[in-house]
Amino acid sequence: LKGASQRPLVEEIGSVAASVDEPAYEVRSLDGVLTLRIKLPRVRAASEVDVKVGTKSVCLEAEGLYALNVQLPSPIRSDDAYCRFNRKTHTMIVTMPQLE
C-alpha cells in the first residue's frame, strides 16, 4: 500500500498489575475447633479461591484479588479441615479440629 504508515500491526500498550489485597479475617477457638472467617467481597464463587490448610497455617489465594497466609495459634488436624463459601456474605469459612 502506497503511503500507508509503517505502524506495527500489534501495538503494545502499558499495563498496570492488579493489586492483590490481604483480606480481613478472624480466627476463633471454641471446643477444640479453630474457625477462620475470611471476608472476600470481590469473590463470587468458591471456585475462584484456592485454600491450602497445613497443621500450623492456612494459605488462601484468589488470583489477582487476594492473598493471605495465616499462622494458626495452635496445631490442627489438616486432614479433617473443611471450607465452605457463603455467597451472600462473601465469606470463606475454614473449620479445623485442633490436635489433642
Side-chain angles (χ1 to χ4, degrees):
L1 295 168
K2 197 171 193 177
S5 70
Q6 296 296 326
R7 290 180 37 196
L9 292 176
V10 176
E11 184 176 347
E12 187 174 324
I13 58 174
S15 63
V16 177
S19 66
V20 176
D21 295 328
E22 180 176 292
Y25 69 92
E26 69 176 3
V27 179
R28 291 189 180 174
S29 177
L30 181 64
D31 298 329
V33 176
L34 287 179
T35 303
L36 172 63
R37 293 178 182 273
I38 308 164
K39 290 288 196 176
L40 303 167
R42 295 186 287 169
V43 171
R44 295 175 191 217
S47 61
E48 298 176 35
V49 182
D50 183 30
V51 179
K52 294 183 174 86
V53 179
T55 57
K56 296 181 181 179
S57 66
V58 175
C59 296
L60 173 140
E61 184 177 349
E63 191 171 339
L65 298 173
Y66 300 106
L68 179 66
N69 186 1
V70 177
Q71 297 302 310
L72 300 173
S74 60
I76 57 102
R77 294 193 317 262
S78 58
D79 290 342
D80 296 327
Y82 62 92
C83 300
R84 82 175 188 273
F85 184 70
N86 184 320
R87 287 190 302 208
K88 282 186 178 179
T89 63
H90 297 270
T91 303
M92 179 66 72
I93 302 163
V94 186
T95 305
M96 304 160 282
Q98 292 173 297
L99 285 174
E100 295 171 2

